Amino acid sequence: MNALPVCVSLMGPTASGKTDLAVWLCQRFPLEIVSVDSALVYRDMNIGTAKPDAATLARAPHHLINVVDPTESYSAGRFRADALALMADIGARGRVPLLVGGTMLYFKALKGGLDELPAANPVLRADLDARAARDGWPALHRQLAELDPKTAARLQPNDAQRIQRALEVCLLSGQPMSALHRGGAGALPWRMIEIALVPGERGWLHERINQRFRMMLDAGLVDEVRRLRAKYPLTPDMASMRCVGYRQTWQYLDGAITLKQLYDTGAAATRQLAKRQMTWLRGWPDARQFDCMAPDLIGRIGGFVEAAVATA
């Protein structure tokens, strides 16, 4: 095990300070960032994804941002393949990959491999979207509960993207998705040093989330989505437009909600995302947890990473 090359993962809920910490680490150690974020992969989606600005990217380049158009899909399987190729290149140049983000499914896919699930079926997905438009996602969630109660139990009734995928797998394979999750082949050929940023107080994180979403609106999130709709043939059911903040802004532009409701629902959806991320992290094996509220956080993580890099 110790003969494997070292990589470092920096995980945490949204708004926990991962980017600033990652940039600081890259300026002090021979690290190179690979983004683990299912929203940062999209081009032209900058404000609502809290994408690092040009100055930040100049100080600490990030891989796997701006890799697909918002009309395209990007899967956990593609992430794993792209990340492994980048990590090999980073290691060959004598540096250490620093995997940074909050998309825990991507971390899971990278670390443990992928289950063999049916490929996406556009015709079936279109049918599910049409049914959801007619009956609502809670109705499809109830169908999923009949076909795969274990998977349905861990999903919210309006979690459109995951409900759709779980139903798709059930209907294509004839088996529950939960029965197909047996741990995919392909062990990670790296020794991963795992860091989890976990706030000691949930209220602290909620306040940061609320402030950040307000800043996104002030920075022009509505205009950003308006430009996206003008530039690309987007629909609200596309994965990019299901991202937190973009879904609510789309509804605002369609006149379905007010500006105040946009803020309220967007901030609430971001808090729900953070809650799901925290649930993943609480059950994550092998991660060294750090309180991201701690005043000595940088020094403690710096020492931890220094020791890890010394073994690379």
Side-chain angles (χ1 to χ4, degrees), residues 33 79 102 105 126 133 137-138 141 146 153 167 197 202 209 250 268:
I33 295 173
F79 165 78
L105 178 62
W137 284 106
H141 184 265
E146 296 176 359
L167 277 174
L197 298 182
R202 184 181 303 177
I209 287 170
W250 187 289

Side-chain angles (χ1 to χ4, degrees), residues 10-297:
L10 178 60
M11 306 173 286
T14 186
S16 59
K18 297 183 297 294
T19 298
D20 288 345
L21 179 56
V23 170
W24 183 88
L25 290 170
C26 284
Q27 292 175 324
R28 285 153 181 82
F29 305 107
L31 303 170
E32 201 162 317
I33 295 173
V34 177
S35 171
V36 188
D37 190 300
S38 60
L40 292 182
V41 298
Y42 295 112
R43 301 184 186 100
D44 297 320
M45 291 173 56
N46 302 323
I47 297 173
T49 63
K51 191 174 290 179
D53 60 21
T56 300
L57 294 175
R59 295 199 309 275
H62 287 49
H63 298 286
L64 293 187
I65 67 172
N66 299 323
V67 295
V68 295
D69 286 344
T71 51
E72 300 176 76
S73 61
Y74 192 85
S75 66
R78 180 172 173 184
F79 165 78
R80 189 176 201 270
D82 289 347
L84 287 174
L86 285 164
M87 292 166 70
D89 177 67
I90 292 168
R93 290 187 277 105
R95 300 178 67 79
V96 175
L98 174 61
L99 298 129
V100 182
T103 302
M104 302 308 298
L105 178 62
Y106 283 10
F107 276 115
K108 180 177 182 291
L110 180 63
K111 185 176 179 180
L114 292 164
D115 300 300
E116 294 185 8
L117 301 178
N121 184 300
V123 174
L124 178 55
R125 288 194 171 191
D127 177 65
L128 293 171
D129 283 334
R131 288 175 52 201
R134 183 185 69 239
D135 304 326
W137 284 106
L140 273 72
H141 184 265
R142 289 192 292 272
Q143 181 188 4
L144 178 63
E146 296 176 359
L147 298 173
D148 185 357
K150 186 174 180 180
T151 298
R154 63 178 179 82
L155 299 180
Q156 296 295 318
N158 284 306
D159 193 344
Q161 187 172 357
R162 292 176 178 83
I163 292 170
Q164 182 191 64
R165 178 56 177 158
L167 277 174
E168 179 183 46
V169 169
C170 289
L171 296 172
L172 289 176
S173 69
Q175 300 181 69
M177 177 184 276
S178 55
L180 298 175
H181 280 314
R182 290 184 285 265
L188 181 67
W190 294 79
R191 180 161 58 92
M192 184 179 282
I193 308 299
E194 297 171 275
I195 299 168
L197 298 182
V198 180
E201 297 178 14
R202 184 181 303 177
W204 176 88
L205 184 64
H206 286 181
E207 183 58 30
R208 283 175 62 94
I209 287 170
N210 294 342
Q211 290 178 359
R212 190 170 77 162
F213 194 69
R214 171 58 66 189
M215 291 173 62
M216 288 176 176
L217 290 175
D218 291 344
L221 177 59
V222 171
D223 287 337
E224 177 173 271
V225 178
R226 188 180 285 117
R227 289 192 298 270
L228 288 166
R229 288 175 27 147
K231 182 174 180 178
Y232 298 100
L234 293 167
T235 60
D237 61 306
M238 289 179 175
S240 61
M241 293 298 103
R242 290 177 179 168
C243 290
V244 168
Y246 289 89
R247 182 201 300 265
Q248 293 77 23
T249 305
W250 187 289
Q251 293 172 333
Y252 169 73
L253 289 174
D254 278 355
I257 59 176
T258 66
L259 186 61
K260 182 180 185 306
Q261 288 172 322
L262 165 57
Y263 168 74
D264 290 342
T265 58
T270 310
R271 294 194 299 270
Q272 285 297 313
L273 170 62
K275 181 179 178 181
R276 293 194 296 272
Q277 292 168 320
M278 292 292 293
T279 299
W280 275 89
L281 286 170
R282 280 195 293 269
W284 198 265
D286 305 322
R288 172 75 175 272
Q289 294 196 358
F290 292 86
D291 184 351
C292 50
M293 298 171 54
D296 59 345
L297 175 69

